[in-house]
Amino acid sequence: MPWWSWIIIWIALIALSLLFMLFLGWRIWRGVSATARTFNDVSAEREAYWEQSLERAKVEHVTEPRSVVPGSAIFATPEEMKDDYLAAKEERRFARLQRRVARRKERGQLQSLRDIEALQDVG
């Protein structure tokens, strides 16, 4: 082999290695940019979900408001206090039920038959 063939071989090897390095750099850049896009999309989804969960956290009272005046427990009978306690407990239970049904509906999950029957009994 003549001496200049070694020069051509080395130039070809260096050129191929540079092309391979450019190819790897391009793949890394595409991977990083795809990861950044995914991160931005997930951040936007989480922000929207957080805002929706804050709106859902505001519970609207379905039953009529109780007429409990602060300090009225002193003069109330134990039966009245027990009735107030049970009414508030039922109101909290129903609010949890509504939040659970709304959350499952939003996520596309199956509803519990117990929850559906409880909502139909009230409605």
Side-chain angles (χ1 to χ4, degrees), residues 36-47:
R37 277 193 307 272
T38 304
F39 178 75
N40 287 337
D41 294 343
V42 169
S43 296
E45 279 183 28
R46 288 190 61 160
E47 184 177 335

Side-chain angles (χ1 to χ4, degrees), residues 26-112:
W26 175 253
R27 297 246 344 234
I28 290 172
W29 173 253
R30 287 185 58 199
V32 168
S33 62
T35 303
R37 277 193 307 272
T38 304
F39 178 75
N40 287 337
D41 294 343
V42 169
S43 296
E45 279 183 28
R46 288 190 61 160
E47 184 177 335
Y49 178 76
W50 181 253
E51 289 173 1
Q52 287 178 355
S53 65
L54 287 177
E55 289 175 9
R56 281 187 286 133
K58 299 174 185 171
V59 178
E60 295 179 9
H61 296 287
V62 177
T63 60
E64 69 266 355
R66 297 184 314 273
S67 60
V68 177
V69 178
S72 65
I74 297 171
F75 304 107
T77 64
E79 291 81 21
E80 290 174 347
M81 292 309 301
K82 185 174 182 180
D83 290 341
D84 283 346
Y85 169 74
L86 292 175
K89 184 176 178 181
E90 180 62 25
E91 187 177 336
R92 289 190 303 270
R93 188 197 65 80
F94 189 69
R96 282 194 307 271
L97 173 77
Q98 285 181 321
R99 287 194 307 264
R100 181 174 54 242
V101 168
R103 182 177 58 244
R104 286 183 173 180
K105 182 178 180 183
E106 177 184 314
R107 293 177 182 172
Q109 297 173 333
L110 294 176
Q111 296 290 341
S112 171

Side-chain angles (χ1 to χ4, degrees), residues 12-30:
L13 286 174
I14 291 172
L16 286 175
S17 66
L18 286 175
L19 283 174
F20 186 69
M21 289 172 59
L22 284 173
F23 173 72
L24 289 180
W26 175 253
R27 297 246 344 234
I28 290 172
W29 173 253
R30 287 185 58 199

